[in-house]
Amino acid sequence: MTAKSKGRLRHVALSVADPWETAEFYKDSLGLEEVTELDGELAEGVFLTDGVVNLAILHFKSDEASQGTGTDFVGLHHIGFWVDDVIVSGEQARAAGATWIMGDPNNPDGYEVKHTDLSGIIFDIAAHGWAGSQKRPGEPENEVHPNPQRRLAKFDARREAARQAIASKKLAEVA
């Protein structure tokens, strides 16, 4: 019997109205570290990490980009697994009943391949991990995805507004 390809949960994506305010909340309240900002074709947002798992805080730009959840959806959007072999893991998932929705399932070096599970929950698989994540923490063959710590100047005002909003909420709690 062939060994199954094992996935490691290393990515959680939230869909929110304001990625910068949500990111500021998680940085301030739980000490997560900022990894990078994104302004892509599908979404804009902020990526954080706890050093092992990547937390993507996104606002999707279109209903198609949101993979069926809609641009106004707020909540857990998808989870991601760092796998050894994207092709084999995808085949295993689809054989078990997953539905492919996005990404090239035959490209072992692609960004990520998205599926839905039996309940319609979106998950993706990738062979490279996500910024700020580690594949096998504490093990000798651990892989660490680099943390570019990149900020986009175009989001300076939104970042500052988010920082001020969280500071105001903290002051209101004290008063």
Side-chain angles (χ1 to χ4, degrees):
M1 181 173 171
T2 306
K4 293 225 177 218
S5 178
K6 180 179 181 179
R8 291 157 183 86
L9 181 60
R10 296 294 180 261
H11 172 70
V12 177
L14 305 178
S15 177
V16 301
D18 185 340
W20 285 267
E21 187 170 351
T22 303
E24 191 63 30
F25 168 81
Y26 283 111
K27 290 186 316 185
D28 187 66
S29 65
L30 295 172
L32 296 185
E33 179 183 340
E34 188 172 316
V35 176
T36 191
E37 293 176 319
L38 164 77
D39 187 17
E41 186 179 322
L42 303 178
E44 63 180 21
V46 182
F47 291 81
L48 306 177
T49 186
D50 65 359
V52 176
V53 176
N54 167 290
L55 178 63
I57 304 169
L58 306 170
H59 180 75
F60 290 95
K61 294 182 175 182
S62 70
D63 287 337
E64 181 181 356
S66 73
Q67 294 111 31
T69 60
T71 58
D72 293 332
F73 172 74
V74 172
L76 178 64
H77 186 267
H78 68 272
I79 56 176
F81 295 90
W82 193 339
V83 299
D84 295 325
D85 187 319
V86 170
I87 294 173
V88 170
S89 293
E91 289 170 351
Q92 289 172 186
R94 290 186 297 279
T99 302
W100 168 84
I101 59 171
M102 185 178 181
D104 184 350
N106 298 309
N107 181 356
D109 301 314
Y111 178 63
E112 56 192 23
V113 180
K114 284 190 167 49
H115 294 81
T116 55
D117 70 9
L118 301 177
S119 298
I121 297 169
I122 301 168
F123 69 94
D124 51 38
I125 55 175
H128 52 70
W130 292 266
S133 65
Q134 295 185 42
K135 189 172 187 181
R136 296 178 178 92
E139 295 182 24
E141 65 276 4
N142 186 30
E143 295 174 54
V144 178
H145 194 290
N147 178 347
Q149 295 185 322
R150 180 185 69 215
R151 283 190 157 180
L152 301 175
K154 70 185 285 178
F155 295 129
D156 287 349
R158 290 176 72 180
R159 216 178 300 110
E160 180 58 22
R163 190 195 62 72
Q164 288 179 11
I166 296 299
S168 294
K169 289 177 185 181
K170 287 170 69 174
L171 284 174
E173 288 294 317
V174 174

